[in-house]
Amino acid sequence: MPNRTPVPPTTFSRRRLAGVARGALMMGALLAAAMAATSARAETVLVTADHLVDVLAGKVVEHPAALIVDGRITAVGAQGAVAAPADARTVALPGLTLLPGLIDMHTHLTSQPTWNGYESLGVSVADKAIAGVANAKLTLMAGFTAVRNVGADGFTDVALRNAIDSGLVPGPRMKVSGPLLGATGGHCDENLLPADYGRVGEGVADSPWGMVQKVRWVKKFGADLVKVCATGGVLSKGDSPGAQQLTQEELDAIAKEAHALGMKVAAHAHGTEGIKASIRAGIDTIEHASLIDDEGIEMAKKRGTWLGMDIYDDDYILQEGAKAGMLPESLEKERKIGLLQRQNFTKAVKAGAKMIFSTDAGVYPHGDNGKQFAKMVQWGMTPMEAIRAATRNAAEAMGTDHDIGAVAVGRYGDLVAVKGDPLADIALLEHIPVVIKGGEIVKDQR
Ligand SMILES: [Zn+2]
């Protein structure tokens, strides 16, 4: 796989806890000794169930057990074959099927589905940060133990990621992009007001060197990856989803600088030519990919580029968009590309392109992420392929497959459980009753 740059682990809490422990030493020997005693005792959890979807082997394991020590999986196998220490806490889930915690590769946790069109101008960065706290919890409770957040104003996603990692608020593990990079007047600019107001999107630049500066700027303020708008979009004013909005030179510069800094790049790209230019630039994931043609699919396969096609959105935008304040032109654009995107999804799946689970959560209500699974199966994937897109593949595309994406030794103890067989009924993933993050049960509604 090209551009595999090691990414540091998602969780920073261990380092922060170590810092706290150091401070305590100065506060007094007694307190320090007590803390050391607590941190030395490993938290061991044994999870058992009736079945486990093994996304690495592509099969179901009967009567599985997973041992989780201090948040990471140390053993997986059949019950009886996994030895647990006497003081291990057991989480028995009879009648349930375990899966790895799900991963959505395209969320906007600090956005609300009602913040559309001119309504969005009244929303502050503080409003967005607070919405992010609520939406992070909704997303985790829906079974998504990790997300890639691709676009947030004011670095609200960086603050949210840090608050989750330090244990301040509940939420999924996050990889974040910070503000979106894009061209003047493009999908990621602010296009609602006349020139008098002087509004410009935070990530707007118009040359390769301007884009290099923006990449360094998001890195400086805590982004894990770069999100760039390579073509027009549906919910933006005055542009066309099919039109390429950045030159090949600009896209090349973004990918080269981001990769040099150890960051992956996600490109918003609906249009045929913008998709190809992004693939040529070496961008890691193509978001939407609505108008991808056969040549684009072949290029993606050859280059190892991942496609994240948000095929649930179309239903939501057409049914709820007008009520949610989306611009009339946005609804018109969706009517033109929604069906084509689904048909091209089928083509890409048939051709064997590398697919990830990307939903654009925030366009539709957070927590409904799982509704895309049934669409992916309806439009050509097997249930196992759809589950892999949201687990194994997502982790690989983010460069975090040492941490998440499978119930496997060394990875975080992030699991979900459903009643019944998700390979027979993929819609079970729309209502997940049990969620475990880092070995801790965060939801149990069996
Ligand atoms: Zn998006």
Side-chain angles (χ1 to χ4, degrees), residues 106-108 150-151 180 187 227 235 268 287-288 310 313 359-361 363:
H106 191 136
T107 67
H108 300 278
V150 284
L180 306 139
H187 177 61
K227 166 79 180 293
L235 300 182
H268 159 106
E287 305 302 305
H288 311 297
D310 54 328
D313 269 336
T359 70
D360 219 352
V363 168

